[in-house]
Amino acid sequence: MNNLIYFIVGPTSIGKSEFAKKLARKINGQIINADSMQVYKELCIITARPTKNETDEIKHHLYGHINCSERYNVAKWCHQATNKINLCLKNKIAPILVGGTGLYIEKLINGLIDIPSIPENIKVETEDIFIKEGINEFYNRIKKIDPNILNTIESNDSNRLKRIWDVYSFTGKNMTYWLQNKSNFFLSNNIKYNLLLFLPNRIKNYNRVNKRFVKMIDSGAINEVNKLLKLNLNKSLPAMKAHGVPEISLFIENKISIDTCIKKGQQVTRNYVKRQHTWWKSSNLKIFKKFNQFPDEIDIKLMNFH
């Protein structure tokens, strides 16, 4: 087990967290969050963050430690996750990273391009431009300053498009230029990893998404979002875009009915699941084990993880 870390990955709403707990019990492990929304303190129900009972039983790291007023990113996560991984390994504990944010995991393993940190005011300006122009016109804006980079992303990937403009706006150099720089690597060469990828039937995955969103509503998600809105945060912040937050916000503001709120929340989450399936199918990461089942359909007692 020395210098071996584990990744439990796949789309949302499939049961990765529960599987990670079973694995932690089996191999004396601790769980490290690899979900970009579960880091936010005020988002518990809406992100299906582990409960206090769960974190009391098994040590969890990097959950709910960031205020929603902050703009967290992959670089910050990579540095923090690396620290937690090294601490676990030092204490002869198996680090188990669990989450659906593939970008976080890919950058932790393959390294991150050394790009200057983008100030908050630049990101706000970019968001304003994007809202004013719309995705098609904004795409053409990117095409003028960095046509090559567009070959590497989907045309409707709004987050990546905005990131590309952020970098150009602040540094005066396009993303293609920065990608030529050397990467910052986080994992030392003596660290090995086992990546367990779950890609169950997508239609069944959608059904679980639909049921979980209703469960979130019944469990107090509306009250949670209402408290978030009272903080009067900038809507361009990542936490304000968490799946369900915009939709529940519209309901709270009496702009849509609860039924429409639920349908919209389910739809945006299903769209995300579709993107996650596509991302993981095209990933170049080395897969230790790939499953076409849900994690709860796997008998962990019969598995050899070494």
Side-chain angles (χ1 to χ4, degrees):
M1 190 183 71
N2 290 340
N3 295 331
L4 179 60
I5 64 178
Y6 298 82
F7 293 94
I8 310 300
V9 302
T12 193
S13 301
I14 63 172
K16 297 185 297 296
S17 296
E18 191 63 33
F19 186 88
K21 287 191 298 178
K22 292 178 182 178
L23 178 58
R25 297 186 193 104
K26 181 180 176 71
I27 64 173
N28 182 35
Q30 293 183 3
I31 297 171
I32 301 172
N33 173 40
D35 182 287
S36 63
M37 290 295 121
Q38 289 187 335
V39 302
Y40 290 109
K41 187 181 300 182
E42 295 88 347
L43 301 182
C44 182
I45 298 170
I46 204 75
T47 63
R49 206 169 72 209
T51 64
K52 186 177 185 301
N53 287 340
E54 291 173 316
T55 58
D56 283 345
E57 179 198 357
I58 298 170
K59 183 71 174 178
H60 286 60
H61 303 277
L62 305 185
Y63 288 90
H65 68 299
I66 301 295
N67 291 323
C68 283
S69 58
E70 299 180 45
R71 194 181 292 273
Y72 199 64
N73 59 39
V74 61
K76 292 177 182 178
W77 180 82
C78 284
H79 285 289
Q80 292 180 346
T82 301
N83 289 337
K84 296 299 183 183
I85 289 169
N86 291 337
L87 181 62
C88 285
L89 293 176
K90 179 181 178 181
N91 293 319
K92 301 187 184 307
I93 294 169
I96 303 170
L97 288 91
V98 56
T101 306
L103 179 66
Y104 278 19
I105 294 162
E106 192 271 330
K107 296 304 180 186
L108 181 69
I109 293 173
N110 290 339
L112 191 64
I113 301 299
D114 190 12
I115 299 175
S117 179
I118 309 299
E120 179 67 18
N121 66 300
I122 296 293
K123 295 178 180 180
V124 172
E125 289 174 6
T126 297
E127 184 71 21
D128 290 342
I129 294 171
F130 183 84
I131 293 173
K132 181 180 179 181
E133 295 186 349
I135 192 165
N136 291 332
E137 192 172 337
F138 194 85
Y139 180 91
N140 290 329
R141 174 187 284 265
I142 301 299
K143 190 174 183 179
K144 292 177 182 177
I145 59 103
D146 197 357
N148 293 331
I149 199 66
L150 294 176
N151 295 325
T152 67
I153 67 172
E154 297 291 334
S155 61
N156 62 348
D157 192 338
S158 58
N159 289 331
R160 293 283 300 278
L161 290 171
K162 284 184 279 190
R163 170 64 172 165
I164 292 164
W165 183 257
D166 282 341
V167 170
Y168 176 75
S169 181
F170 180 61
T171 68
K173 300 183 188 304
N174 64 25
M175 186 66 82
T176 298
Y177 167 85
W178 288 105
L179 290 176
Q180 296 170 357
N181 288 359
K182 288 185 177 181
S183 294
N184 284 327
F185 293 100
F186 300 98
L187 302 180
S188 60
N189 292 333
N190 66 327
I191 292 179
K192 308 299 179 183
Y193 71 88
N194 284 350
L195 193 150
L196 282 67
L197 171 62
F198 293 88
L199 286 179
N201 178 274
R202 194 162 11 126
I203 302 303
K204 291 182 179 179
N205 198 166
Y206 290 163
N207 291 335
R208 291 201 181 194
V209 162
N210 293 341
K211 291 178 181 178
R212 189 169 84 170
F213 197 87
V214 172
K215 183 180 179 180
M216 287 177 177
I217 294 294
D218 293 340
S219 300
I222 293 174
N223 185 50
E224 183 172 271
V225 174
N226 194 36
K227 290 179 180 178
L228 180 65
L229 293 178
K230 289 180 179 179
L231 298 177
N232 294 317
L233 301 178
N234 190 303
K235 291 187 178 180
S236 71
L237 289 166
M240 299 301 292
K241 299 178 183 179
H243 299 131
V245 170
E247 294 74 31
I248 294 175
S249 298
L250 290 174
F251 167 71
I252 292 171
E253 295 164 358
N254 295 316
K255 294 180 179 179
I256 59 174
S257 68
I258 187 60
D259 288 341
T260 301
C261 166
I262 291 172
K263 288 179 181 178
K264 285 180 175 290
Q266 291 171 330
Q267 182 63 61
V268 297
T269 311
R270 292 197 302 269
N271 292 345
Y272 179 55
V273 166
K274 182 179 180 180
R275 294 196 300 272
Q276 286 179 304
H277 273 263
T278 300
W279 195 94
W280 283 111
K281 285 179 180 177
S282 62
S283 170
N284 62 358
L285 294 175
K286 180 181 177 182
I287 308 298
F288 176 68
K289 290 183 184 294
K290 181 179 177 181
F291 305 93
N292 293 321
Q293 306 111 298
F294 288 94
D296 56 22
E297 297 172 342
I298 305 295
D299 189 347
I300 199 168
K301 295 178 182 178
L302 302 179
M303 295 186 64
N304 178 18
F305 292 98
H306 303 290

